[in-house]
Amino acid sequence: KQEVTQIPAALSVPEGENLVLNCSFTDSAIYNLQWFRQDPGKGLTSLLLIQSSQREQTSGRLNASLDKSSGRSTLYIAASQPGDSATYLCAATSGTYKYIFGTGTRLKVLA
Amino acid sequence: SAVISQKPSRDICQRGTSLTIQCQVDSQVTMMFWYRQQPGQSLTLIATANQGSEATYESGFVIDKFPISRPNLTFSTLTVSNMSPEDSSIYLCSVGEIGLGEQYFGPGTRLTVT
């Protein structure tokens, strides 16, 4: 059974800092891993999708990597801004359409 | 990407009543999903709704409590029945296509049960 965890649970950084969010999963036979952003009381915004054959995906200041052998994915945010403050969720699917979500990392970027 | 809307965006309901949440997509999709996010928690899948078939419920969720309809390829409803304060959550629908993997989420419905 797939389990997904995220460390740290919360993170506070000064503006401009580069940061890494971590996502670990127990079943290495994943099909996709997707990173989302959630603002307080809102729905989820898809950030990046990494398919099992890929190692990383980039979008603007965001870069997500996937290492299936170690059961890890990281989300790298360059030059963080206060507008990046949100909860970041990763979700993995193991060959089916069902996503298992991580516990989330609550990020606060201080101006 | 798909654009998804949900109604209502929020509601406050009394215990024992039921609420039906609507999910509308701007394009035809095979699979629609309903998730629950309890306060301070991550998302938990309630059920998968495919058009023309019964919804498939995850462990811990039953049809009598969360009946789902999927009348066509762009619309679904989730009813939260006989509500109790423990049902206070954000309910989100999402869509995806088999083989593509990426899922898109609606804005969510924030439900408070008093």
Side-chain angles (χ1 to χ4, degrees), chain A residues 15-53:
Chain A
E15 181 177 8
E17 191 163 300
N18 301 325
L19 58 99
V20 174
L21 307 181
N22 296 294
C23 173
S24 299
F25 46 91
T26 55
D27 185 354
S28 62
I30 68 168
Y31 187 72
N32 289 318
L33 189 135
Q34 194 167 352
W35 283 92
F36 296 89
R37 167 187 173 138
Q38 185 176 31
D39 293 286
K42 304 292 186 181
L44 274 66
T45 301
S46 176
L47 297 174
L48 290 165
L49 169 72
I50 309 177
Q51 296 180 330
S52 62
S53 60

Side-chain angles (χ1 to χ4, degrees), chain A residues 6 31-32 34 36 38 40-49 51 89 93 97-104, chain B residues 10 31 33 35 37 41-45 48 56 58 90 92 98-108 110:
Chain A
Q6 291 183 246
Y31 187 72
N32 289 318
Q34 194 167 352
F36 296 89
Q38 185 176 31
K42 304 292 186 181
L44 274 66
T45 301
S46 176
L47 297 174
L48 290 165
L49 169 72
Q51 296 180 330
L89 295 159
T93 178
Y97 49 80
K98 293 192 291 187
Y99 268 123
I100 305 299
F101 276 83
T103 47
Chain B
R10 59 176 59 219
M31 314 188 76
F33 309 91
Y35 288 84
Q37 187 176 31
Q41 304 294 315
S42 190
L43 279 73
T44 301
L45 181 64
T48 303
T56 302
E58 298 300 304
I90 298 175
L92 301 108
I98 297 173
L100 297 180
E102 190 163 10
Q103 287 197 15
Y104 301 96
F105 281 78
R110 180 182 287 272

Side-chain angles (χ1 to χ4, degrees), chain B residues 79-108:
Chain B
T79 299
V80 186
S81 303
N82 188 24
M83 288 184 285
S84 66
E86 291 71 36
D87 294 320
S88 297
S89 298
I90 298 175
Y91 291 86
L92 301 108
C93 70
S94 74
V95 302
E97 289 291 350
I98 297 173
L100 297 180
E102 190 163 10
Q103 287 197 15
Y104 301 96
F105 281 78

Side-chain angles (χ1 to χ4, degrees), chain B residues 3-24:
Chain B
V3 177
I4 305 167
S5 60
Q6 285 185 234
K7 290 182 182 179
S9 59
R10 59 176 59 219
D11 208 341
I12 300 173
C13 302
Q14 292 188 339
R15 88 172 53 216
T17 62
S18 298
L19 176 71
T20 295
I21 303 168
Q22 300 179 4
C23 179
Q24 179 76 52

Side-chain angles (χ1 to χ4, degrees), chain A residues 7-14 17-22 77 85-86 105-110:
Chain A
I7 296 174
L11 182 62
S12 185
V13 300
E17 191 163 300
N18 301 325
L19 58 99
V20 174
L21 307 181
N22 296 294
I77 302 176
S85 298
T105 294
R106 191 168 61 253
L107 172 65
K108 186 168 187 178
V109 181
L110 305 172

Side-chain angles (χ1 to χ4, degrees), chain B residues 43-68:
Chain B
L43 279 73
T44 301
L45 181 64
I46 298 171
T48 303
N50 294 334
Q51 194 266 338
S53 63
E54 294 280 333
T56 302
Y57 289 83
E58 298 300 304
S59 176
F61 297 96
V62 295
I63 188 171
D64 289 346
K65 176 67 175 177
F66 298 101
I68 289 171

